[in-house]
């Protein structure tokens, strides 16, 4: 475990563990998980629980419609939101009955996380709850979220929460023992990887789909979450949440699954938030950039280097800068809307362009996250 971080652990539990039969919450697997949380706290670790399962827990409340394939898409979406609303209270009540200490519910959307002020508010709330011995239970707010506002899976949400909470470790429960070099359900010779020190395309290629009919997150989203967490210096474990022995091994200081080792040189906090939490609203294609070694190189890109603009975004929104060959250079805040950038890019009149850009660069310098492997970040601003 990374001993340089706070004594905090984030535990992510999926829908298949909460309501394996979609007939309400079940204690079948949750008792062992609850005991793990209690024992962690007894060891002095502060625990944050990220719990999926509100839709799965609420499905049985709508027996007439749960499997009605004739429902229109809007009606199906409204039904899922209603299931989430009904199931969330049942899920919280189920967790609460396992503990003799208080719990607190935190429901989030991606809009809460990508807004800097709200992100810091979330961080402060979690820290205050932990200081007072209260267990934060976090879930995505499926009742109100939309495609534009949702994180989409609680694996990635757990990594964002772990970064916000400055956690030491992230434990993600899966339906298999960890990451295998090939799908263990299909290949008898599949080998479990006990430790991963670098996440690359080869690691992602090993990720198969989830065999759970209840959950939405497969192994790929778990690796995505691990990549977010380890870049913040957070050790991340993928373990089999259906086995009580997984939690006993963790408490004994042993790795029961796959450990993704946290970086020894974690990203700066604000830069990590901007890279892994803020979502880009569009792209700007620029002329060949042979050398992008710093944020300042991106900030100096001029209007005559803009080749194309895609997506619709407003001034202040986040965009991705791409080289002409498709290589991602950076995520950054745009000082101009997509419409105005397109207009500027098409102009041959340099004086007209200068009238727009002489006071402001195209890219805001306070938020630039470099995506080029050769690039180095600028100093963090408070």
């Amino acid at each position: 475990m990374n001993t340089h971080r706070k004594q905090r652990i984030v535990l992510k539990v999926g829908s298949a563990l909460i309501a394996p039969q979609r007939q309400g919450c079940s204690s079948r697997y949750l008792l062992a998980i609850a005991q793990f949380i209690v024992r962690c706290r007894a060891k002095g670790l502060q625990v944050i629980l990220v719990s999926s399962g509100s839709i799965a827990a609420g499905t049985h409340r709508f027996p007439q419609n749960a499997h009605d394939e004739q429902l229109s898409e809007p009606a199906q979406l409204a039904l899922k939101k209603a299931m989430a609303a009904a199931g969330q209270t049942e899920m919280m009540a189920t967790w609460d009955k396992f503990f003799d200490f208080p719990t607190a519910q935190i429901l989030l959307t991606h809009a809460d996380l990508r807004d800097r002020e709200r992100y810091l508010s979330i961080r402060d709330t979690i820290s205050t709850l932990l200081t007072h011995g209260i267990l934060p239970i976090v879930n995505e707010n499926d009742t109100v979220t939309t495609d534009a506002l949702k994180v989409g899976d609680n694996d990635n949400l757990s990594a964002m929460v772990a970064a916000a909470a400055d956690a030491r470790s992230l434990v993600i429960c899966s339906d298999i023992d960890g990451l295998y070099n090939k799908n263990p359900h299909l290949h008898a010779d599949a080998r479990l990887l006990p430790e991963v020190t670098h996440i690359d395309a080869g690691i992602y290629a090993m990720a198969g789909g989830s065999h759970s009919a209840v959950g939405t997150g497969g192994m790929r989203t778990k690796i995505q979450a691990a990549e977010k967490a380890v870049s913040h210096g957070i050790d991340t474990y993928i373990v089999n949440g259906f086995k009580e022995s997984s939690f006993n091994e963790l408490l004994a200081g042993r790795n029961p699954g796959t450990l993704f080792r946290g970086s020894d040189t974690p990203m700066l906090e604000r830069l990590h938030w901007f890279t892994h939490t803020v979502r880009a609203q569009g792209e700007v294609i620029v002329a060949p950039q042979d050398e992008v070694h710093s944020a300042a190189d991106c900030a100096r890109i001029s209007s005559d280097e803009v080749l194309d603009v895609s997506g619709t975004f407003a001034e202040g929104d986040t965009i991705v800068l791409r080289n002409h060959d498709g290589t991602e250079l950076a995520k950054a805040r745009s000082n101009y809307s997509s419409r105005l950038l397109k207009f500027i890019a098409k102009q041959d009149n340099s004086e007209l362009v200068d009238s727009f850009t002489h006071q402001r660069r195209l890219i805001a310098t306070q938020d630039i996250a470099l995506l080029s492997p050769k690039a180095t970040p600028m100093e963090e601003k408070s």
Side-chain angles (χ1 to χ4, degrees), residues 312-324:
T312 301
F313 51 89
E315 175 187 339
D317 280 349
T318 302
I319 58 171
V320 170
L321 286 176
R322 287 187 184 272
N323 223 331
H324 70 298

Side-chain angles (χ1 to χ4, degrees), residues 314-318 333-336:
E315 175 187 339
D317 280 349
T318 302
R333 300 257 187 217
S334 175
N335 277 331
Y336 296 87

